[in-house]
Amino acid sequence: KNVLGHMAYVLEGMRKLSKVRSYTMKVTCGDRAIEGDFIFGMITNSLSVGGFKKITGDNVKLDDGVFEVTLIKRPGNPVELMVSPTTSKEEMEILSEEMGFNDPLPVQYVRFLKGALVGDFGTSYYYNEPAMSVVLERAPATLTLACAALLISVVLGIPAGIVAAVKRNSVSDAVIRVLALLGQCMPAFWLGIMLIMLFAVKLGWMPTGGAEDGLRSLILPAFTLGVFSAATICRLLRSNLIEVLGKEYIDVAKAKGLPKSKIIGKHALKNAMSSIITILGMQFASLLGGSVITEQVFAWPGVGRLVIQSITTSDFAVVECIVFLMAVIFVVINFIVDVLYCVINPRVRLQ
């Protein structure tokens, strides 16, 4: 009875502290054992809850003894999010049958496709709202972050690429190439954490996360997300511009005595930017779908953070909606970029 009391107390604390998950727990003390299915959060390496002094690994230390706890993770079941922990397995089976979770996979897939065609991905099991509404509510935050990151990548990448190409093999070129290489190599989560420690924790100039402070909250996550794209644009533009500057018509322009700025800006840069337009479109699509880590690090209330939360809570309807929308957005943006490429470059025409 004492063990059950402690277990009920700690389970309730775990449910409040972490995400809901399904586990089978077995508690053993000497020759006595208690086993059952519980819904609660993941145990951290060290946690103090209720009558327990500490939870470390598989040992739960009480004031009056040491209990061995064995956890077996079970696959997520959306029905468990919709019912109370005291609901019986029979009642959960009935609810699963009513909601179609017991239907064969082909039947569930056809039902999903029919709903996807009209934008109906079902109801979120966690928020108890239409999945599309939950995603669209977070979409403006992700769109704002992606646009800000793209702006930063253009502002940093294009001037750096031009300087590196014009001053080829100089000190400036070497520094820019090293920085661009670092920008493509640094993991987003590491860069984000370093920026938080420097500008938010040490200097106190920026908030550590969230979106409550408006523009100040946007700067760090947008910079973190835009560094990789800026490095990509810089390296590609440098390569294209060096190739264009070696063309004959550039030599003719120099022979005519045109200013260097006009040669680069009007003749060289225009032709070198053709492939950059394609990269910008692809980068923007990638920023929309690849902001998961950045949003998680900075607690940005966007779609990326929502998909992580939905996966941890087995909210499959929201996950399906996000993946479907991101795939459609990626295809549409790439199609628009291909059309723009044909408009910008007269030598390319749709057949």
Side-chain angles (χ1 to χ4, degrees), residues 233-286:
I233 292 171
C234 173
R235 297 185 69 182
L236 182 62
L237 181 58
R238 176 187 179 275
S239 177
N240 290 350
L241 201 54
I242 289 175
E243 182 181 355
V244 171
L245 289 174
K247 299 292 184 180
E248 292 183 359
Y249 64 88
I250 297 297
D251 294 333
V252 173
K254 291 179 180 177
K256 289 182 177 180
L258 295 178
K260 191 174 183 179
S261 58
K262 190 173 183 179
I263 293 175
I264 295 173
K266 185 177 180 180
H267 299 283
L269 188 59
K270 182 179 179 181
N271 292 301
M273 284 293 292
S274 298
S275 58
I276 300 299
I277 299 298
T278 305
I279 292 298
L280 285 175
M282 295 178 64
Q283 289 295 323
F284 183 66
S286 300

Side-chain angles (χ1 to χ4, degrees), residues 34-332:
I34 301 171
E35 185 172 358
D37 293 339
F38 299 96
I39 303 176
F40 64 97
M42 303 213 29
I43 298 181
T44 58
N45 291 332
S46 180
L47 175 66
S48 297
V49 181
F52 290 88
K53 282 185 176 179
K54 182 184 289 186
I55 296 177
T56 305
D58 292 335
N59 292 326
V60 179
K61 298 183 179 180
L62 292 176
D63 293 340
D64 52 356
V66 178
F67 289 75
E68 180 185 349
V69 178
T70 304
L71 297 177
I72 304 173
K73 180 182 174 186
R74 297 188 285 113
N77 185 355
V79 174
E80 294 175 348
L81 298 174
M82 307 166 63
V83 298
S84 65
T86 58
T87 304
S88 65
K89 290 186 177 180
E90 291 75 14
E91 293 174 328
M92 292 177 62
E93 282 296 326
I94 294 174
L95 186 57
S96 296
E97 186 67 31
E98 292 177 352
M99 299 188 68
F101 294 143
N102 295 336
D103 295 340
L105 289 179
V107 175
Q108 295 187 43
Y109 183 63
V110 171
R111 185 165 59 239
F112 161 75
L113 289 180
K114 289 180 179 179
L117 291 176
V118 295
D120 181 13
F121 293 89
T123 303
S124 168
Y125 315 125
Y126 188 80
Y127 297 97
N128 198 25
E129 298 178 13
M132 181 65 77
S133 300
V134 175
V135 175
L136 292 180
E137 185 179 345
R138 310 301 200 284
T142 296
L143 185 62
T144 302
L145 180 60
C147 290
L150 186 66
L151 178 62
I152 290 175
S153 64
V154 169
V155 170
L156 295 179
I158 291 181
I162 294 174
V163 172
V166 173
K167 298 185 178 182
R168 183 183 180 186
N169 296 328
S170 65
V171 177
S172 302
D173 180 28
V175 171
I176 290 174
R177 280 189 294 167
V178 170
L179 292 177
L181 183 61
L182 289 175
Q184 288 188 307
C185 294
M186 283 188 298
F189 71 89
W190 181 85
L191 178 60
I193 292 173
M194 293 300 105
L195 291 176
I196 290 174
M197 291 179 62
L198 176 60
F199 293 102
V201 178
K202 272 197 169 185
L203 300 176
W205 294 351
M206 303 292 176
T208 56
E212 293 78 11
D213 293 338
L215 183 60
R216 292 179 67 247
S217 300
L218 180 63
I219 294 175
L220 290 185
F223 182 82
T224 302
L225 195 59
V227 164
F228 181 85
S229 298
T232 303
I233 292 171
C234 173
R235 297 185 69 182
L236 182 62
L237 181 58
R238 176 187 179 275
S239 177
N240 290 350
L241 201 54
I242 289 175
E243 182 181 355
V244 171
L245 289 174
K247 299 292 184 180
E248 292 183 359
Y249 64 88
I250 297 297
D251 294 333
V252 173
K254 291 179 180 177
K256 289 182 177 180
L258 295 178
K260 191 174 183 179
S261 58
K262 190 173 183 179
I263 293 175
I264 295 173
K266 185 177 180 180
H267 299 283
L269 188 59
K270 182 179 179 181
N271 292 301
M273 284 293 292
S274 298
S275 58
I276 300 299
I277 299 298
T278 305
I279 292 298
L280 285 175
M282 295 178 64
Q283 289 295 323
F284 183 66
S286 300
L287 291 173
L288 285 174
S291 59
V292 176
I293 296 177
T294 303
E295 290 188 5
Q296 192 70 11
V297 170
F298 289 95
W300 187 260
V303 176
R305 192 172 183 223
L306 175 64
V307 73
I308 295 294
Q309 294 173 345
S310 300
I311 290 172
T312 57
T313 56
S314 300
D315 199 351
F316 302 135
V318 174
V319 176
E320 291 171 353
C321 181
I322 293 174
V323 172
F324 187 86
L325 289 179
M326 288 302 171
V328 171
I329 291 172
F330 196 92
V331 172
V332 170

